[in-house]
Amino acid sequence: MQTEKNPSRRRVYTPLPASSSYSYSYSSSLMQTFRLLFPLALLFLHIPIPLPAQDLPAQDLKDLKGYFPFNPPTSLTAWEPRKTYVRRQILVSQGLWPLPTKTPLNPVIHSPIDCGTYTIEKVYFQSAPGLFVTGNLYRPKNPRGKVPGILFAHGHRKDARFDLEPELTVRKNIAIGAERFTRGGQSTFQSLCHQLASMGCVVWQWDMLSDSDAQQFSEEIVHKFAKQRPEMNTVENWGLYSPQAEAHLQNIMGIQTWNAIRSLDFLLTLPEVDPTRTAITGASGGGTQTMLLAAIDDRIQLSFPVVMVSTAMQGGCTCENASLLRINTGNVEFAALFAPKPQGMNSADDWTKEMATKGFPELQKLYQLYNAPKDHLLLQRGEIFPHAYNAVSRSAFYTFLNHHFKLGFESPIIETDFEPLTREQLTVWNAEHPAPKSNGTDFERTLLRWFDDDAQKQLQHPQALKQIIAPALEVMIGRTYAQAGEVTWGLEEKTEHPTHLEMQGSLTNTTHHETIPTTWLYPKQGSQRVILWLDNDGRNSLREANGKLKPTVQTLLDQGNIILSADLRLQPQTPQQTPIVDNPRQFAGYTHGYNPALFAQRTHDLLTLTTFLQNSKVGNHPNPNRIDVIALGETGPIAIAARALTGNAINHLAAQTNGFRFSQILDYRHPQFLPGAAKYLDLPGLIALNAPHPILLIGESDFKDVVAAPSLTQLPSDSPAETAIVHWLQKSDASAR
């Protein structure tokens, strides 16, 4: 036996999609390394100790207060795929991929109030069965043909539609130039609606959840959720914020985004609204809703998010966060999705104060790529003002709208004064139109069940696997096989045994700054097949307690197979609970809205391992002609997810699952937790994406309805897994011959 340490031997390559040409660069050839390491050796006497856990650089989890720059593309050719992906990422995170069925709105419009040149009406409709959207509709009395339709989303102001500021607050705002009138200045929300209606626009201002007339969800659930509710954390009839809700991508933010989509549906049912002149605006949390709707709904023609577009804080409320939403993206890129349409935004003395130098210049570069006119993008500077939709910003919006929708008014538009109305005058509910009865958690459970049932019906469509589930998996994992990255191999230690060479080292993904400790077992009589061996204990799983190779591993070596084993992220000491960001509220979205789950990170590792094997020499051979994966324990579902992304790069997969289902996880910190995984047909959906490639499942039920039968072999959980896998691989070899 001979042992040598040589950390300097490295090999670098750049993987590209299979359809592209590629080249390699070398500092030392593995082929030369192997030739040097194969003189006849001493007898195998060494018994290795268990390998240590990964020595990875400490990385703090990203949270909503991180830095979220937008890197503008160099060409529209590069931008369009990214734009498509980020838009899909938003939809998936909001529980809107696929879009829920648009059930009848059944709108009720009643009790008009005459305001001179316009009326204010009271409206409610159902965005989903039993979920009521409430608000006020402002309409000009004598519209001249088709007129613009404006959506106004409010932020975190208690009872925003009804709110009237105290006189002293209004006077202070007037003193600093943030407001103009002692009467109209009492209500930012009524001021904007009054002015737009006076300019001949139809305006729909609706209530966010738990606000004003929309009381089916409590403020504690929408904005102040803090601790998990054991009674709502169940595998059936679950509630919001539970691991089940997160596994089905059901969240307050998504419900509000759905209400925004349905609000646009409602607005476009009005005969006087011009569908080519639709706009949305809103501040703070309303700015978040503005960005998202403009990003995902092509029917919006002008967007004006206020005090929200920023490379800094992304939105602190539970209603502004969702699992998967901002992983590798952020609010500035969300705004970028609207390019090249007209879009305005502002800055204030808050987290947006650096927009002029961080965020807006990058948006300008993107608009320039589209050759959009300069007036299509506006930043209204306002760092002297506090966080609000003040009169200066509102005037900028009116003027921007007037210009692009060709309303014909003299610019700039100066707001006019008016008499604000009271809660009693504006409320939707009265004796003839009573508010829906609130039944608390029963309503919450029923609504989430409807969304889930509706999604499951759509996912049964024959094309759902390719058109819905496969694209969703890319978002849930956060990486595709083509994006696996550039990888370097570093040799740390090599030991020659009588029948094989053993090498310890690391694969470093330089693109994504990830390191994977690896062990290679290379037989003297090698083949072109590599078997990737995965288990809960990582590389240690190759050996028994006494340090000897497991009989199954030795058998595979004796058959001439190259074996590669790795420590996936946090192996071999997987924690019982995964780390979370420093936030006192027990909401998965604060962690998994910005960071991939451990399950996803381990899937990334498999993509790295596979692309290395696909794009490198192994031993004396230019490329392995076959990569098989054996995934035991908790790595089985991970390998199934990775195989769904790699396609035919992995030839045969033997995965032990023992009936695992994402829908059974009742802790969002569980190592196998993956946001959204239960929604998309759970593990059977991922298995279905493996077809038609050969797969052996150990410990599973019948999948004949979703997986092509010829590619699937199943064994009960009480089968001797490793022995069964060897027989299956041998059988596959025989059939191939």
Side-chain angles (χ1 to χ4, degrees):
M1 176 183 64
Q2 296 177 341
T3 301
E4 179 183 348
K5 293 186 178 181
N6 188 350
S8 65
R9 293 184 182 270
R10 296 186 183 273
R11 187 167 181 278
V12 184
Y13 72 94
T14 304
L16 293 171
S19 59
S20 303
S21 60
Y22 52 83
S23 61
Y24 305 121
S25 61
Y26 303 86
S27 60
S28 174
S29 166
L30 275 182
M31 182 172 67
Q32 293 173 329
T33 302
F34 288 133
R35 285 175 175 171
L36 289 171
L37 294 173
F38 267 109
L40 292 176
L42 299 174
L43 292 176
F44 175 65
L45 299 173
H46 175 60
I47 298 177
I49 60 174
L51 295 162
Q54 296 185 46
D55 183 18
L56 297 176
Q59 294 181 354
D60 294 334
L61 293 171
K62 195 168 190 176
D63 66 9
L64 58 91
K65 296 181 181 179
Y67 180 50
F68 299 84
F70 169 55
N71 298 313
T74 56
S75 68
L76 292 181
T77 301
W79 170 241
E80 289 303 324
R82 175 65 181 171
K83 178 178 180 179
T84 299
Y85 177 85
V86 177
R87 175 182 281 195
R88 188 199 325 153
Q89 182 174 348
I90 294 173
L91 289 166
V92 170
S93 75
Q94 303 297 283
L96 303 177
W97 182 272
L99 280 179
T101 300
K102 290 188 175 183
T103 53
L105 293 171
N106 298 321
V108 176
I109 305 174
H110 68 93
S111 307
I113 301 170
D114 192 330
C115 296
T117 60
Y118 64 90
T119 61
I120 303 175
E121 295 169 292
K122 305 169 184 186
V123 179
Y124 59 90
F125 58 79
Q126 296 184 59
S127 61
L131 177 61
F132 287 87
V133 179
T134 54
N136 289 130
L137 179 65
Y138 291 69
R139 293 205 268 193
K141 280 185 178 179
N142 300 301
R144 297 180 179 179
K146 296 283 188 177
V147 300
I150 317 298
L151 296 170
F152 183 20
H154 69 76
H156 294 92
R157 179 71 61 86
K158 176 66 175 175
D159 290 339
R161 189 159 51 87
F162 305 145
D163 181 67
L164 297 176
E165 292 281 12
E167 180 182 352
L168 180 59
T169 300
V170 176
R171 292 177 64 85
K172 288 181 178 180
N173 287 334
I174 292 173
I176 65 172
E179 292 296 338
R180 291 174 52 82
F181 306 111
T182 55
R183 290 185 305 165
Q186 295 177 73
S187 173
T188 293
F189 309 101
Q190 292 187 53
S191 292
L192 188 141
C193 296
H194 154 77
Q195 184 64 38
L196 291 173
S198 299
M199 294 166 60
C201 300
V202 173
V203 186
W204 167 239
Q205 185 193 1
W206 76 104
D207 301 324
M208 301 295 104
L209 299 175
S210 83
D211 199 272
S212 301
D213 283 325
Q215 296 296 318
Q216 290 178 285
F217 286 102
S218 69
E219 184 180 15
E220 285 68 27
I221 294 299
V222 175
H223 303 300
K224 298 181 179 180
F225 179 84
K227 293 184 178 181
Q228 289 287 317
R229 299 171 290 171
E231 72 278 10
M232 305 294 274
N233 186 357
T234 55
V235 296
E236 294 181 356
N237 295 323
W238 56 83
L240 288 163
Y241 304 102
S242 67
Q244 284 299 321
E246 297 299 312
H248 289 82
L249 295 170
Q250 297 175 330
N251 48 70
I252 283 291
M253 189 182 193
I255 297 174
Q256 293 208 141
T257 303
W258 180 239
N259 282 353
I261 292 173
R262 301 309 321 262
S263 286
L264 181 54
D265 291 343
F266 163 69
L267 190 66
L268 291 175
T269 65
L270 303 176
E272 68 269 39
V273 170
D274 182 354
T276 68
R277 291 188 292 172
T278 54
I280 184 170
T281 190
S284 193
T288 299
Q289 282 293 303
T290 297
M291 278 186 291
L292 290 198
L293 186 65
I296 64 176
D297 200 317
D298 289 331
R299 296 175 296 175
I300 295 293
Q301 303 303 318
L302 184 148
S303 176
F304 205 97
V306 173
V307 290
M308 205 62 243
V309 184
S310 168
T311 60
M313 201 279 295
Q314 299 291 285
C317 185
T318 46
C319 76
E320 294 178 277
N321 287 275
S323 292
L324 305 178
L325 177 60
R326 295 186 178 93
I327 296 176
N328 299 322
T329 186
N331 287 352
V332 177
E333 189 166 34
F334 294 163
L337 299 180
F338 196 64
K341 295 178 183 179
Q343 180 172 205
M345 57 200 67
N346 77 328
S347 58
D349 188 18
D350 56 14
W351 51 85
T352 64
K353 61 186 176 183
E354 294 184 313
M355 263 301 286
T357 57
K358 296 180 181 179
F360 191 73
E362 289 73 21
L363 289 174
Q364 286 179 310
K365 291 179 181 178
L366 177 62
Y367 271 73
Q368 289 166 5
L369 281 180
Y370 279 105
N371 292 319
K374 290 184 178 180
D375 63 3
H376 273 217
L377 187 65
L378 168 71
L379 176 65
Q380 176 67 36
R381 301 285 297 274
E383 293 92 331
I384 63 172
F385 295 118
H387 180 81
Y389 204 160
N390 55 53
V392 176
S393 297
R394 297 197 302 270
S395 177
F397 172 58
Y398 308 144
T399 303
F400 193 70
L401 189 82
N402 178 56
H403 171 66
H404 287 287
F405 283 0
K406 296 178 171 51
L407 300 183
F409 293 94
E410 184 178 357
S411 291
I413 305 294
I414 305 299
E415 199 170 72
T416 58
D417 201 5
F418 71 105
E419 188 67 43
L421 302 183
T422 64
R423 170 192 291 265
E424 291 71 26
Q425 291 172 300
L426 294 174
T427 183
V428 167
W429 309 120
N430 58 27
E432 292 184 32
H433 305 278
K437 294 182 180 179
S438 176
N439 53 4
T441 57
D442 287 343
F443 164 74
E444 183 179 338
R445 288 188 177 101
T446 300
L447 181 64
L448 298 191
R449 189 184 310 121
W450 181 84
F451 278 116
D452 183 48
D453 289 346
D454 180 73
Q456 296 309 308
K457 290 177 184 176
Q458 295 192 56
L459 293 172
Q460 298 303 318
H461 190 278
Q463 297 302 315
L465 274 175
K466 291 184 178 181
Q467 296 179 358
I468 299 175
I469 299 176
L473 178 63
E474 293 180 356
V475 172
M476 291 187 291
I477 299 302
R479 192 176 299 174
T480 66
Y481 186 44
Q483 299 164 339
E486 300 181 6
V487 184
T488 63
W489 156 250
L491 175 65
E492 297 166 5
E493 181 177 337
K494 57 191 177 186
T495 304
E496 190 171 345
H497 304 290
T499 60
H500 65 279
L501 172 70
E502 179 176 349
M503 295 190 299
Q504 311 294 343
S506 297
L507 290 175
T508 300
N509 191 316
T510 58
T511 302
H512 301 292
H513 310 291
E514 298 161 353
T515 301
I516 308 173
T518 55
T519 294
W520 290 82
L521 302 178
Y522 194 90
K524 288 186 175 179
Q525 301 298 322
S527 71
Q528 283 185 265
R529 176 163 75 180
V530 175
I531 294 178
L532 181 55
W533 180 283
L534 306 170
D535 205 343
N536 295 347
D537 292 332
R539 297 176 294 165
N540 290 333
S541 65
L542 292 171
R543 303 182 184 278
E544 296 182 318
N546 62 7
K548 293 184 179 181
L549 291 178
K550 288 182 176 180
T552 305
V553 175
Q554 188 65 58
T555 298
L556 292 170
L557 267 175
D558 293 342
Q559 293 173 352
N561 297 295
I562 303 166
I563 296 179
L564 171 61
S565 188
D567 289 345
L568 304 181
R569 179 76 176 177
L570 299 187
Q571 281 187 342
Q573 284 90 28
T574 301
Q576 291 186 346
Q577 288 188 313
T578 57
I580 57 175
V581 299
D582 185 16
N583 192 305
R585 297 202 262 183
Q586 297 175 0
F587 171 35
Y590 285 136
T591 296
H592 296 306
Y594 302 88
N595 307 276
L598 179 60
F599 186 101
Q601 291 176 313
R602 289 176 167 177
T603 306
H604 298 168
D605 289 344
L606 265 65
L607 298 181
T608 295
L609 290 161
T610 304
T611 198
F612 177 81
L613 293 173
Q614 276 284 312
N615 295 284
S616 67
K617 290 184 178 181
V618 177
N620 296 324
H621 305 287
N623 287 102
N625 62 8
R626 177 166 161 177
I627 300 171
D628 293 342
V629 177
I630 297 174
L632 305 173
E634 291 187 349
T635 70
I638 297 167
I640 290 169
R643 190 359 164 38
L645 294 169
T646 61
N648 59 10
I650 295 174
N651 193 293
H652 282 61
L653 168 62
Q656 185 177 39
T657 62
N658 293 337
F660 168 81
R661 294 294 181 271
F662 295 100
S663 61
Q664 300 300 307
I665 294 176
L666 294 178
D667 181 2
Y668 73 91
R669 299 185 62 182
H670 190 286
Q672 295 288 83
F673 172 73
L674 179 65
K679 174 177 182 174
Y680 296 102
L681 304 185
D682 211 293
L683 189 64
L686 300 186
I687 294 171
L689 290 175
N690 278 252
H693 310 298
I695 184 169
L696 169 68
L697 298 177
I698 300 175
E700 277 299 338
S701 56
D702 190 359
F703 286 101
K704 64 182 181 180
D705 291 336
V706 290
V707 178
S711 67
L712 174 65
T713 304
Q714 299 183 71
L715 293 173
S717 57
D718 57 359
S719 299
E722 295 181 19
T723 302
I725 290 169
V726 172
H727 291 320
W728 180 66
L729 291 176
Q730 288 176 329
K731 185 178 179 181
S732 69
D733 290 341
S735 62
R737 290 193 293 267

